[in-house]
Amino acid sequence: MGRNAVHYRIERGRLLTARRYDESDVRIRPGKSSRPRTKTRPEHNDAEAGMVVSVDRGRWGCVLGGDPTRPVVTMRARELGRTPIVVGDEVDIVGDLSGKVDTLARIVRVAERRTVLRRTADDTDPFERVVVANADRLLIVAALADPPPRTGFVERALVAAYVGGLEPVLCLTKSDLAAPEDFTAAFADLDVPVVLAGQSEDLTELTAMLTNEVTALIGHSGVGKSTLVNRLVPDAYRATGVVSGVGKGRHTSTQSVALPLPGGGWVVDTPGIRSFGLAHISPENVVAAFSDLADTIEDCPRGCTHLGPPADPECALDSLTGDAARRVAAVRLLLEAVRTNDAW
């Protein structure tokens, strides 16, 4: 029977009509709060700037003011939603900034990134991953022997560096087992700096290059990257726990971590990887990274891949001569490495 139905009853032989009920007779239980929600968010004017140095299971290790002696463990503030935060990000932090054990601060803002090192799992994966943010240079670590070097991975790493705004540096390990000249000749026309970092090599030049900068290191497993990190940052594995405060000092090859250089600056040790997917990068992205070639491709026909004849018989890059023509040949090697997925 409905709420407003008329009820009847018989009393002393008379038919009586009961009262009608309406919504005013029903008590409505109030909600938890009658105050309307607002989209206004706190400005966090008291937030302190920091840098992300590690990421582990929903927690971010940061250092306040870029100072490795002021580590804090943070979480992502609710208002950031699912905003991705990676090692190298410059962030604003509020909350408990004491850095004491079991304290937790909040990241409330992420600054616009100056540079990004991106990759995909392979060339068919549409989901790109930001490996490191705001690095000044990319140190591409390759071994001259055991395992023997292949140009494909280096070429792809160079592409990622150029497109992401990082300065690439080729760092060769195990130089006591093989000479570097034949391998480095493939990159001579790209003007990529080359440094030797074999166990018998002095690292003074490399250390000076990295001081007061943020440098990301990438390389295949087994090329000696971890050995190099330990030489650049004494007690690097112990320093991991001091800097990040995340994962109880656990630094494996499965996560990136930024480590402070003794003379200032940071090296970001990234996981050893098998391949470097570049599904997110187009030929135009690659060529545009070179200022002396960027204007020329504006005269290329639509759909030009810039690989040259026979694929692109009308590519405008073929009109260049001298040093620029040699640069074109080197860049086309990079484009071919991207096209063929030669990442080994």
Side-chain angles (χ1 to χ4, degrees):
M1 184 177 292
R3 178 182 299 168
N4 295 323
V6 179
H7 299 272
Y8 300 94
R9 63 187 176 89
I10 298 175
E11 183 178 328
R12 295 179 182 179
R14 291 182 300 171
L15 183 64
L16 302 179
T17 303
R19 61 166 292 190
R20 294 175 180 272
Y21 292 92
D22 56 27
E23 57 270 13
S24 64
D25 294 294
V26 180
R27 181 184 177 189
I28 306 298
R29 179 177 296 177
K32 293 183 179 180
S33 175
S34 60
R35 194 170 72 182
R37 296 186 63 182
T38 175
K39 294 183 179 181
T40 303
R41 295 291 182 263
E43 296 183 0
H44 298 299
N45 294 325
D46 58 341
E48 189 162 348
M51 169 184 164
V52 177
V53 295
S54 64
V55 182
D56 185 16
R57 293 169 293 187
R59 295 292 183 265
W60 287 262
C62 302
V63 291
L64 299 175
D67 184 352
T69 65
R70 301 182 63 197
V72 294
V73 178
T74 67
M75 61 180 290
R76 181 170 47 198
R78 179 176 296 180
E79 57 261 34
L80 290 182
R82 295 184 177 273
T83 301
I85 304 174
V86 302
V87 170
D89 267 327
E90 297 166 353
V91 296
D92 287 339
I93 306 170
V94 300
D96 191 335
L97 305 182
S98 66
K100 295 180 180 178
V101 176
D102 296 330
T103 59
L104 192 62
R106 289 180 295 127
I107 296 175
V108 294
R109 280 188 292 269
V110 182
E112 183 177 354
R113 293 163 177 163
R114 294 178 285 103
T115 67
V116 286
L117 176 63
R118 295 187 179 96
R119 78 177 185 95
T120 56
D122 54 49
D123 281 355
T124 62
D125 183 4
F127 181 72
E128 64 182 57
R129 298 160 178 82
V130 177
V131 182
V132 181
N134 299 316
D136 300 292
R137 65 173 47 81
L138 178 65
L139 196 67
I140 307 166
V141 184
L144 288 169
D146 191 28
R150 295 288 299 273
T151 61
F153 175 80
V154 175
E155 289 166 341
R156 285 174 158 255
L158 288 172
V159 168
Y162 291 132
V163 173
L166 291 77
E167 176 193 353
V169 176
L170 181 57
C171 180
L172 302 177
T173 63
K174 305 183 182 181
S175 53
D176 53 325
L177 301 180
E181 287 77 15
D182 290 343
F183 184 66
T184 58
F187 314 107
D189 292 322
L190 294 173
D191 298 328
V192 179
V194 178
V195 293
L196 300 181
Q199 292 188 359
S200 61
E201 303 287 346
D202 182 16
L203 298 184
T204 301
E205 177 187 357
L206 178 58
T207 301
M209 183 183 296
L210 307 185
T211 299
N212 295 324
E213 303 283 354
V214 178
T215 303
L217 277 68
I218 63 168
H220 283 312
S221 298
V223 298
K225 182 166 59 69
S226 296
T227 300
L228 176 61
V229 169
N230 281 321
R231 293 182 65 191
L232 292 170
V233 185
D235 299 324
Y237 288 96
R238 182 176 64 83
T240 303
V242 175
V243 170
S244 71
V246 177
K248 305 299 183 183
R250 172 179 57 86
H251 174 48
T252 67
S253 59
T254 59
Q255 58 180 350
S256 298
V257 63
L259 299 167
L261 288 165
W266 298 82
V267 291
V268 182
D269 187 13
T270 64
I273 54 180
R274 293 172 58 86
S275 64
F276 208 103
L278 298 174
H280 58 290
I281 291 178
S282 69
E284 284 74 18
N285 296 147
V286 179
V287 180
F290 298 88
S291 58
D292 55 342
L293 307 182
D295 293 338
T296 303
I297 64 172
E298 294 182 1
D299 296 327
C300 287
R302 179 177 298 181
C304 182
T305 63
H306 313 303
L307 289 171
D312 302 297
E314 298 180 9
C315 180
L317 294 177
D318 291 324
S319 64
L320 299 176
T321 59
D323 291 340
R326 288 190 291 272
R327 180 69 63 89
V328 169
V331 170
R332 281 174 171 168
L333 290 177
L334 302 183
L335 293 174
E336 184 64 22
V338 174
R339 187 183 69 85
T340 59
N341 194 21
D342 180 13
W344 290 92

